[in-house]
Amino acid sequence: MKRILLIIITIFIALVFSGCNPNEKDSVALDDARFEEEEIKYEIEQILFSKSFQSIEPSVEIITNNNKLKILASLGLSEYSGINVNSIVKKGSEINIHVSGISNKNDLRLAVPQVVMELKKTKLKKIEDLRFNIIYDDYTPLKIKYGINDVLNKIQSHFKVSTKGTPIFDLIRINDAIVWDISYNSIFDKENPDIPLVNLSAQVDANTGNIIDSEKLSISTSLDSGHILGYINNDYILYKKTVLDKDTNKSIEQLWDYSALNNEKSMLYSSSFKISSAQFSSDLHYVSVIEVNDNGSELYIIPLDDKRAYKISFENKFNPKTMRWDNDNVLYLIENNDDNSTVYSYNVKNNDIKAVGTFNKNIENLIINNDNFLIVEKTDNELNKKISITSDWDKFKPIGNGANPKFLNKNMISYLRKNEDNDYNSLFVYDMKAKDIISEIEGNILNYEILPDNNIVYVDKNINKNDFTLKKYSLNDQVTNEIAHFISDKIYYDENRNLVYLNITLPFDNEKTEMIYSLDLSKLN
């Protein structure tokens, strides 16, 4: 009997103690229950209606903890013209943020309201243990089944398009439906055999996933495959492309030109070696070609009247790397050896070769205007390069540090200079008479060209995006205007025809084929 009584007492004690040890969740709830509600004072710093739509669910994020508690409260997708934070109440480790919506029928916005605010005079020992809740007093969050990433994947699959960038998108209301409104500029239509660029707009129901409206507009013409080597404003394109020789089954390189005047292209030269560079002469009667083979590099001249290339031989072993035509059909050539450069000139009219000299400089580029020569000198461990000017190849006057200099006119020079702090390129205009910089165009400028009437057109890389903006700058007015956005930085502007030529590598092609397109600017946007 005593034994049975002992067992009963033991079981009773075990039940009593097990009831006194709740699980962790219940423990927190009991702890919070022991605390009274405390209303927290707060200061709202900013309210914005986010349309990024990467997250549409309510959330609270602690964004700073420097003796202050500052939070970012995302209230979830809704359709209001404004919002109120009614109160913030703390009870134990829970902080409840009470909100309500403001409805003005003339200013309703489908968006995710976000509030940045600082919580005042709170004694919070362990920030990481806090649990934030959004309490909807008079606020109706909206639910959708298809997020933006789901919709973009559906559109690209359905329309068989490929893109390197991000479209413009928004959530709109059409009658009772919440709809994704999507607009793509300059994307690839993979269904078309010529793979042209198109603009695509589509509307997709955010709850059913159905495409309710769409439009695909061709904005380009495919000129050819190839890599652009030279461009004469409003007139000619010089480009090379690689083809497979059916007889030898080996790759060969071909040099082509395209005339915008008559919309015709023709092959100028073919080689089993690499075409390193090619340039039109100043009068457009010749094309010079530097070809790289197993023994070095060689120079060829192609008269455009008969397209019969001939090789230029030098007495000494000379391997030209860089070339530039002057205004009188004289071609200047540069060879680099260690820390010095040898310069030759070749007169195409009388077939005369002259040694200009050997210089204790690593000259990597040369720009010519009449008897003035802009020299770009590469230096070790320098972000920018030395730019100087000479007229006699004896005295070199420094201009500045940068890259890609050009003569704007007889008195002004432009060049790019990289900012050492952020690695961005700005465009500078240097006055040779004043010996000073007279203008600076800020941005992340990758390349530029000189237009008539003191205008400059340049390509600016958009920060945190995968696209580029073509802009036009007037030196006279010092005003910049945007022309259009593109998915490649290889942009060649034809102002007369209101179009651009775009050189781009196909992003979906395993062969990494380069294509050349012409784009009608009136259709682009």
Side-chain angles (χ1 to χ4, degrees):
M1 182 69 180
K2 292 181 180 179
R3 184 175 180 183
I4 295 173
L5 182 60
L6 180 62
I7 293 172
I8 292 172
I9 292 171
T10 303
I11 293 172
F12 176 75
I13 293 172
L15 289 173
V16 170
F17 276 97
S18 65
C20 294
N21 290 282
N23 59 39
E24 184 177 351
K25 183 177 180 181
D26 292 337
S27 176
V28 173
L30 288 172
D31 287 344
D32 289 343
R34 291 197 299 268
F35 292 99
E36 294 183 358
E37 290 187 348
E38 172 193 356
E39 189 161 339
I40 296 176
K41 294 182 179 180
Y42 58 91
E43 179 182 337
I44 295 176
E45 294 187 0
Q46 185 181 24
I47 297 177
L48 57 89
F49 285 75
S50 172
K51 283 185 167 289
S52 67
F53 301 119
Q54 295 304 313
S55 175
I56 61 172
E57 298 298 325
S59 64
V60 178
E61 178 186 355
I62 298 173
I63 57 178
T64 184
N65 183 23
N66 185 17
N67 295 324
K68 295 179 181 179
L69 179 57
K70 191 177 292 187
I71 61 173
L72 169 64
S74 295
L75 308 187
L77 179 65
S78 64
E79 191 174 22
Y80 289 108
S81 55
I83 60 100
N84 284 325
V85 177
N86 300 327
S87 64
I88 300 179
V89 178
K90 176 180 179 293
K91 187 174 183 180
S93 60
E94 283 198 352
I95 295 180
N96 296 324
I97 303 170
H98 292 256
V99 299
S100 59
I102 301 172
S103 294
N104 182 341
K105 291 184 179 180
N106 296 324
D107 191 29
L108 294 177
R109 288 175 282 184
L110 271 171
V112 178
Q114 294 182 325
V115 187
V116 179
M117 50 190 162
E118 180 186 341
L119 306 188
K120 299 285 190 177
K121 296 181 181 180
T122 62
K123 295 181 180 179
L124 302 169
K125 294 181 180 179
K126 292 185 178 181
I127 303 297
E128 64 274 9
D129 291 338
L130 294 176
R131 299 193 309 279
F132 291 89
N133 303 310
I134 306 293
I135 306 299
Y136 299 131
D137 292 340
D138 186 12
Y139 184 101
T140 304
L142 300 175
K143 298 292 184 182
I144 58 174
K145 293 182 180 179
Y146 291 86
I148 184 60
N149 292 328
D150 299 325
V151 170
L152 296 184
N153 289 335
K154 180 183 181 69
I155 288 176
Q156 292 184 34
S157 175
H158 178 82
F159 291 101
K160 293 181 175 58
V161 294
S162 177
T163 177
K164 295 177 68 175
T166 303
I168 299 170
F169 55 83
D170 195 6
L171 272 176
I172 61 175
R173 184 176 287 279
I174 300 179
N175 299 323
D176 293 330
I178 298 176
V179 175
W180 286 108
D181 188 53
I182 315 290
S183 294
Y184 285 96
N185 284 329
S186 302
I187 60 175
F188 297 95
D189 185 358
K190 296 193 289 186
E191 280 191 314
N192 193 300
D194 291 330
I195 321 174
L197 293 169
V198 298
N199 284 350
L200 173 66
S201 60
Q203 292 181 337
V204 180
D205 190 303
N207 281 301
T208 66
N210 294 331
I211 298 173
I212 58 179
D213 193 17
S214 66
E215 182 183 22
K216 187 190 290 186
L217 176 66
S218 177
I219 60 171
S220 72
T221 300
S222 176
L223 299 183
D224 204 348
S225 62
H227 176 79
I228 294 179
L229 297 173
Y231 175 64
I232 304 298
N233 283 344
N234 306 317
D235 288 324
Y236 296 99
I237 297 175
L238 197 59
Y239 65 98
K240 69 173 183 178
K241 63 179 181 178
T242 303
V243 298
L244 187 67
D245 189 323
K246 296 180 180 180
D247 296 330
T248 63
N249 203 31
K250 292 182 179 180
S251 295
I252 59 173
E253 290 200 348
Q254 296 176 341
L255 182 66
W256 290 69
D257 74 336
Y258 168 78
S259 170
L261 299 174
N262 52 29
N263 193 29
E264 291 182 354
K265 56 187 178 183
S266 59
M267 191 180 75
L268 305 177
Y269 182 70
S270 179
S271 174
S272 57
F273 298 108
K274 179 183 177 181
I275 298 173
S276 175
S277 60
Q279 290 180 14
F280 286 107
S281 63
S282 54
D283 64 1
L284 302 179
H285 290 167
Y286 301 90
V287 169
S288 56
V289 180
I290 293 180
E291 178 185 282
V292 178
N293 54 43
D294 297 336
N295 299 318
S297 58
E298 295 177 330
L299 174 66
Y300 290 86
I301 301 295
I302 306 171
L304 292 180
D305 56 356
D306 62 10
K307 297 183 177 58
R308 295 181 180 180
Y310 60 89
K311 178 181 173 181
I312 305 301
S313 300
F314 297 87
E315 292 182 0
N316 300 323
K317 187 178 180 181
F318 180 71
N319 293 290
K321 182 179 180 181
T322 307
M323 60 182 170
R324 189 74 60 184
W325 291 91
D326 73 0
N327 304 92
D328 296 320
N329 281 338
V330 175
L331 182 65
Y332 285 80
L333 303 120
I334 304 170
E335 178 190 40
N336 303 110
N337 290 305
D338 298 326
D339 293 329
N340 61 62
S341 301
T342 301
V343 180
Y344 275 85
S345 68
Y346 170 70
N347 190 316
V348 71
K349 294 179 180 179
N350 57 27
N351 202 33
D352 185 29
I353 299 173
K354 291 182 179 179
V356 176
T358 298
F359 305 91
N360 190 26
K361 302 173 182 292
N362 190 351
I363 302 173
E364 68 169 31
N365 198 6
L366 174 68
I367 307 296
I368 308 172
N369 183 34
N370 297 322
D371 294 328
N372 291 315
F373 302 84
L374 277 174
I375 307 296
V376 180
E377 180 184 351
K378 186 177 180 180
T379 55
D380 294 334
N381 303 319
E382 291 289 338
L383 196 62
N384 291 295
K385 294 147 190 175
K386 292 182 180 179
I387 302 173
S388 59
I389 189 169
T390 183
S391 58
D392 57 8
W393 292 95
D394 182 29
K395 296 177 182 179
F396 296 84
K397 298 177 182 179
I399 296 296
N401 294 324
N404 196 12
K406 299 178 189 291
F407 286 98
L408 283 168
N409 50 50
K410 64 179 182 179
N411 295 321
M412 289 189 287
I413 294 168
S414 58
Y415 61 91
L416 296 176
R417 186 164 73 193
K418 191 175 290 292
N419 187 312
E420 296 184 2
D421 295 328
N422 57 24
D423 207 30
Y424 294 165
N425 286 323
S426 293
L427 181 60
F428 290 84
V429 177
Y430 179 87
D431 190 311
M432 289 188 286
K433 285 186 175 180
K435 298 181 180 180
D436 198 7
I437 293 169
I438 61 170
S439 183
E440 177 185 357
I441 308 172
E442 295 183 341
N444 190 10
I445 301 172
L446 303 184
N447 52 68
Y448 69 101
E449 291 295 336
I450 308 301
L451 299 178
D453 301 324
N454 282 335
N455 290 320
I456 300 173
V457 63
Y458 65 92
V459 179
D460 196 7
K461 187 179 189 306
N462 295 317
I463 301 172
N464 300 324
K465 293 183 179 180
N466 292 323
D467 66 348
F468 309 85
T469 303
L470 185 67
K471 299 179 179 181
K472 184 179 178 181
Y473 176 77
S474 170
L475 270 173
N476 298 331
D477 304 328
Q478 295 191 345
V479 173
T480 298
N481 292 308
E482 286 192 7
I483 296 175
H485 294 263
F486 299 93
I487 55 175
S488 171
D489 62 323
K490 305 298 187 294
I491 306 167
Y492 303 87
Y493 182 48
D494 188 334
E495 188 174 28
N496 291 347
R497 297 174 181 82
N498 194 35
L499 57 81
V500 298
Y501 302 102
L502 197 66
N503 201 186
I504 190 167
T505 302
L506 300 181
F508 52 85
D509 183 23
N510 293 332
E511 301 297 325
K512 301 300 180 184
T513 302
E514 280 189 278
M515 295 294 297
I516 303 171
Y517 299 104
S518 66
L519 281 75
D520 186 341
L521 289 174
S522 65
K523 296 180 180 179
L524 192 58
N525 296 316

